[in-house]
Amino acid sequence: MTLLELQNQLKLQIRGAALARWGVELEGINAETPPRPDLGDVAFPVAFELARLIKQGTGIKVAPRAIAEELKPALEAPAEVSRVEIAGAGYINVFFDRAKLLADFSVSTLAPAETITDESRPKMMVEHTSINPNKAAHIGHVRNAVLGDTFVRILRAAGQRVEVQNYIDNTGVQVADVVVGFMDIEGMNLDQIKAMDQSLTGEQSFDYYCWDLYTRVGLFYRDDNPTADPNPEKLKLRTEVLHALEAGHNPTAELADYVATRNVECILDTMDRLDIRYDLLARESDILGLHFWDRAFELMKQAGVIRLESEGRSKGCWVMPFESHTGTEEHEADKVIVRSNGTVTYTGKDIAYQLWKLGHLGLDFNYRPFRTYANGQIAWTTSTVPNSDVLPEVPRPSFGGGVTVYNVIDSRQSYPQEIVARGVAALVPELGKSASVHFGYEMVALSVAACDDLGIDLSDDDRARPFIEMSGRKGLGVKADDLIDRLEVDARREVGSRHPELSPEEWQATAHEIAVGALRYFLLKFTRSTVIIFDFKEALSFEGETGPYCQYAAVRANSIFRKLDSQAPAAAWDLIRNAGSDEAIRTKVADALQGETGTEIWSLVMLAEKFDEVIAQAAASAEPANVAKYTFNLARAFNLFYHRHRIIAEGDATKKAVLVATADIARRQLTAALLTLGINVPERM
RNA sequence: GGGCCUGUAGCUCAGUGGAAUUAGAGCGUCUGUCUUCUAAACAGAAUGUCGCAGGUUCGAGUCCUGCCAGGCUCACCA
């Protein structure tokens, strides 16, 4: 029996008792952890709520304490419960049979988070990263990818089947701008770009080249004056490129496709460094090429979701009524979906794509493999070329048709996301708005100090602001690969001085794990609604509340088991399990878990066993920071345990068995928690 | 002006309506702990008008209302 199962059983007991005794149907029952472990293992404040419900139902006033007393027998029933105490005004504190439960935990080992592929299971869909493929990724993009990837891991740990998508906007303005840069600033054709790409060394990759070029394009439009308005003549170049991209099958589109694809490859390389991988790259050019929008347009017209305006400021446009902004009557807030010139807006395309994700468009993409990762996983890409033309066709999973779609997009996009969700809900009422979830989060910004550090000039106005927004257009940002490189250099220096016996390859591998741990944890410890004001000192730290701190705790735990006699762990668990049948052993195990010291050891076991519950809650609330905080607390509790108890040297066999079992549970759960955050535990550090 | 979000220690942040004397971490500051299973660690000290004012109830940092301060957003751009 796991802790979660036991808690659910206790809740069932309470629900049953409340129904039998007072005829009250309890909805959700809250289980709490008492403020101190000596007060009990789990507490239920349910008597207070029952008092209110009983009064509502019957008018009779019953004291919470009396209710708690009446619930007590039901909670004492399970074999895992040793006793129940009523405390304070009506708290029900439950104490577990620690010896029995510890034995149970040995068999309830956490199932490894396997990827579920059973196609009959409902599918969750998570779209994240979705970086415009015209430049290198910066730290803000990494927050998106790490949040999305971690949420995917959380859903999988919670037993869900998940498909991961990365949307590639390869026909938008941003790609067009870089194409303008190549053609009109650099004067390059496709062959010259390819040659340049080939000549790039490890120092500068294609996405870095584009990063710089992109900022030059911004200046080029403004005739090299950063504060001036763009020159309309030069903006025409962008418009021409955009038209060429939309039309397809021309040299400009071919050039743009090369540029976008190379940037996608670079960005995927960056994300792969952080153990972030994708099932499908959905490309905008294929959404256009396969006429997804035309189908969606028909559906929307048929359903009466949009209407053609015959007068007013939106005359000639197809709009979707959207009445949430009722502040001023002069501007109705209807959202234009099709412009008066007949072209579709971004929102319109997004509705079509969202319909496909939910399996309600009635059209599908074609697919081909894009890359194979080192672990054998294949990232597919959408295509306009029929699958049957790609012979022999590789077996592929079925894409799309999600039950719930999570779009990981920063909260600046919450307005358009709301419109997409409403549009889809209006078209397919049986789905409802809950099928489309905007997984929003605040941006990563730069502090004034960080800008100084990066050598960025700021205006006095900017200096007065609480933070500086990053901007790809202005080249303002911390590039992801730069930061990872810097973390790896720092970690490698540290590992090198601590473990001179290791080989350079081992240094590098360990430094890499530590760098990933530091970066991922740094981005995950903040809740989604917090703006991260990027600070080099904090991001580069390996001490305190950091990923490496958590990794270190697991490394220390593993080191105990490396040095322990090889038979010891199995022997320890045998002894703990025998406590079930042998009364003498049982008493000794129970003793080891009693008193101040025993309770402290037991509290680590309890915390470790809460992992399932934390995962369930993080999946329901879509808040990866919960798992990060939990992981840190577990690591902290383990470090304290490690400091207080000498496990290998422990002389008493029973005590030693309890310590070994506790350390085993802690390291197993800590490793699982870290893995859910996408952080691996190195051999040594 | 409308919508969404934020305001908790010197700094950066956690905190599902719950505790009988104490609102928590990390960083920073001060003081201790390596001949030990790894000191990337552990222990202790100092630091708080939980933005302000009302309300709801057995109980409010948490819920409601109003106010103050800050951020994002509200195109036929993408």
Side-chain angles (χ1 to χ4, degrees):
Chain A
M1 165 133 16
T2 66
L3 182 58
L4 191 57
E5 286 164 357
L6 178 54
Q7 280 191 13
N8 287 336
Q9 195 190 326
L10 293 176
K11 287 178 187 179
L12 271 176
Q13 294 280 347
I14 293 174
R15 185 169 295 130
L19 191 60
R21 177 60 182 82
W22 299 284
V24 174
E25 189 88 51
L26 282 166
E27 297 278 326
I29 297 173
N30 223 9
E32 295 178 352
T33 306
R36 291 199 313 273
D38 54 292
L39 291 176
D41 293 314
V42 63
F44 294 98
V46 69
F48 302 109
E49 198 195 339
L50 262 174
R52 193 173 63 247
L53 291 172
I54 293 168
K55 196 180 163 195
Q56 266 174 23
T58 63
I60 302 167
K61 233 175 148 176
V62 190
R65 247 196 112 88
I67 295 171
E69 288 291 349
E70 293 207 52
L71 289 172
K72 201 173 153 185
L75 286 164
E76 282 167 338
E80 290 80 5
V81 174
S82 71
R83 70 178 200 280
V84 177
E85 281 180 6
I86 310 302
Y91 278 92
I92 305 173
N93 291 341
V94 179
F95 294 78
F96 294 142
D97 181 334
R98 296 173 179 179
K100 173 163 177 23
L101 215 46
L102 187 61
D104 282 1
F105 291 158
S106 79
V107 278
S108 67
T109 50
L110 193 81
E114 275 175 41
T115 304
I116 294 166
T117 51
D118 177 359
E119 302 220 340
S120 64
R121 296 281 303 278
K123 181 159 68 182
M124 303 287 125
M125 204 167 285
V126 179
E127 179 200 311
H128 66 76
T129 309
S130 307
I131 304 171
N132 275 307
N134 70 327
K135 58 173 181 310
H138 63 55
I139 183 70
H141 300 121
V142 178
R143 184 180 195 185
N144 181 304
V146 167
L147 274 173
D149 179 67
T150 304
F151 186 53
V152 168
R153 290 166 187 264
I154 289 168
L155 287 175
R156 286 184 175 148
Q160 301 283 2
R161 176 178 162 224
V162 188
E163 178 176 315
V164 186
Q165 297 189 2
N166 180 359
Y167 182 72
I168 311 294
D169 183 1
N170 58 353
T171 59
V173 169
Q174 303 215 31
V175 168
D177 282 342
V178 179
V179 170
V180 168
F182 276 116
M183 297 199 311
D184 298 290
I185 299 180
E186 305 279 74
M188 287 189 191
N189 61 29
L190 180 53
D191 287 335
Q192 287 166 316
I193 294 172
K194 284 180 179 171
M196 178 279 292
D197 189 6
Q198 293 278 316
S199 73
L200 290 176
T201 61
E203 276 301 295
Q204 197 188 23
S205 52
F206 189 78
D207 57 338
Y208 274 45
Y209 186 95
C210 289
W211 174 283
D212 294 334
L213 180 56
Y214 184 44
T215 62
R216 285 164 61 203
V217 173
L219 282 172
F220 169 76
Y221 287 146
R222 291 171 171 75
D223 296 321
D224 293 330
N225 177 0
T227 53
D229 285 335
N231 177 343
E233 283 303 308
K234 286 182 171 168
L235 282 184
K236 275 188 189 163
L237 296 167
R238 167 203 276 176
T239 310
E240 284 165 17
V241 170
L242 274 173
H243 285 319
L245 296 195
E246 199 153 335
H249 309 294
N250 56 67
T252 302
E254 213 179 307
L255 188 154
D257 185 55
Y258 181 81
V259 171
T261 302
R262 282 293 293 125
N263 275 307
V264 169
E265 284 171 353
C266 291
I267 291 165
L268 256 56
D269 287 342
T270 303
M271 296 307 165
D272 196 22
R273 291 179 83 183
L274 298 171
D275 279 348
I276 298 170
R277 293 176 270 273
Y278 310 88
D279 296 317
L280 180 66
L281 313 176
R283 302 190 305 176
E284 176 145 296
S285 58
D286 298 319
I287 290 175
L288 295 175
L290 294 167
H291 307 290
F292 276 24
W293 164 245
D294 297 341
R295 170 65 64 90
F297 191 28
E298 280 311 309
L299 292 172
M300 291 178 90
K301 280 192 282 192
Q302 278 168 24
V305 172
I306 53 174
R307 62 165 184 254
L308 182 60
E309 292 289 82
S310 53
E311 53 190 19
R313 51 188 266 141
S314 305
K315 185 178 178 184
C317 300
W318 286 87
V319 302
M320 191 166 84
F322 193 58
E323 300 114 22
S324 79
H325 306 156
T326 49
T328 52
E329 47 157 285
E330 53 179 298
H331 302 311
E332 277 173 65
D334 297 346
K335 178 70 192 172
V336 171
I337 301 297
V338 179
R339 301 180 190 109
S340 52
N341 69 4
T343 56
V344 59
T345 62
Y346 183 86
T347 306
K349 280 186 274 194
D350 226 19
I351 289 173
Y353 176 41
Q354 185 77 6
L355 274 177
W356 171 81
K357 284 183 181 174
L358 290 161
H360 281 84
L361 184 66
L363 289 176
D364 198 5
F365 292 105
N366 303 301
Y367 305 92
R368 62 180 170 78
F370 186 80
R371 79 155 48 174
T372 305
Y373 292 106
N375 67 357
Q377 184 188 332
I378 296 173
W380 292 74
T381 177
T382 56
S383 168
T384 50
V385 180
N387 298 333
S388 56
D389 291 2
V390 188
L391 289 174
E393 192 177 349
V394 186
R396 65 168 176 88
S398 66
F399 295 110
V403 171
T404 306
V405 173
Y406 293 90
N407 294 321
V408 181
I409 305 178
D410 76 70
S411 56
R412 283 171 289 193
Q413 309 254 9
S414 52
Y415 174 67
Q417 277 291 301
E418 172 76 11
I419 294 169
V420 170
R422 283 189 188 215
V424 170
L427 267 173
V428 192
E430 68 266 28
L431 281 176
K433 265 182 68 182
S434 60
S436 309
V437 180
H438 175 206
F439 183 108
Y441 63 93
E442 286 289 345
M443 69 181 110
V444 182
L446 298 171
S447 64
V448 171
C451 288
D452 290 343
D453 209 345
L454 289 164
I456 296 165
D457 284 333
L458 294 176
S459 66
D460 289 346
D461 278 356
D462 281 343
R463 288 190 169 274
R465 300 176 71 83
F467 53 78
I468 312 296
E469 206 170 326
M470 288 197 279
S471 162
R473 191 173 294 277
K474 295 180 191 157
L476 201 59
V478 178
K479 291 200 270 302
D481 282 313
D482 286 350
L483 185 60
I484 301 170
D485 289 346
R486 203 163 150 182
L487 283 161
E488 285 184 354
V489 168
D490 286 0
R492 192 188 156 114
R493 190 173 46 234
E494 205 54 38
V495 176
S497 71
R498 284 161 195 258
H499 297 285
E501 77 281 6
L502 297 180
S503 70
E505 290 74 27
E506 287 169 315
W507 284 340
Q508 180 53 35
T510 306
H512 174 71
E513 303 287 20
I514 293 169
V516 171
L519 181 53
R520 290 190 65 127
Y521 191 91
F522 173 74
L523 292 168
L524 288 168
K525 73 175 176 181
F526 300 92
T527 52
R528 290 194 279 133
S529 60
T530 300
V531 176
I532 299 180
I533 298 171
F534 186 81
D535 179 83
F536 276 105
K537 187 174 163 294
E538 225 182 305
L540 294 169
S541 171
F542 297 152
E543 289 167 21
E545 194 196 338
T546 64
Y549 173 96
C550 300
Q551 291 171 305
Y552 184 66
V555 167
R556 287 170 120 191
N558 287 336
S559 133
I560 295 171
F561 285 84
R562 195 166 45 234
K563 300 216 168 151
L564 211 50
D565 188 75
S566 64
Q567 310 297 320
W573 279 117
D574 280 345
L575 189 149
I576 300 287
R577 278 189 218 104
N578 285 339
S581 49
D582 186 325
E583 201 54 42
I585 297 175
R586 185 195 180 87
T587 310
K588 288 184 77 179
V589 171
D591 277 353
L593 293 166
Q594 288 305 324
E596 203 178 323
T597 310
T599 297
E600 191 191 288
I601 294 168
W602 179 246
S603 68
L604 174 58
V605 175
M606 290 296 287
L607 183 63
E609 289 294 322
K610 284 196 176 110
F611 178 61
D612 293 3
E613 204 181 327
V614 170
I615 288 295
Q617 209 215 325
S621 61
E623 183 49 272
N626 292 159
V627 182
K629 288 284 172 189
Y630 167 80
T631 306
F632 172 65
N633 284 328
L634 183 55
R636 211 155 52 93
F638 178 80
N639 274 335
L640 179 60
F641 167 84
Y642 180 91
H643 185 255
R644 296 235 170 119
H645 305 283
R646 297 276 85 112
I647 296 168
I648 293 175
E650 175 59 48
D652 180 81
T654 312
K655 177 83 184 292
K656 185 168 181 174
V658 168
L659 291 176
V660 168
T662 301
D664 205 12
I665 288 174
R667 69 167 180 156
R668 193 176 63 212
Q669 301 290 81
L670 185 55
T671 305
L674 279 166
L675 198 62
T676 311
L677 301 177
I679 299 173
N680 293 315
V681 178
E683 273 292 308
R684 280 164 228 271
M685 65 183 282

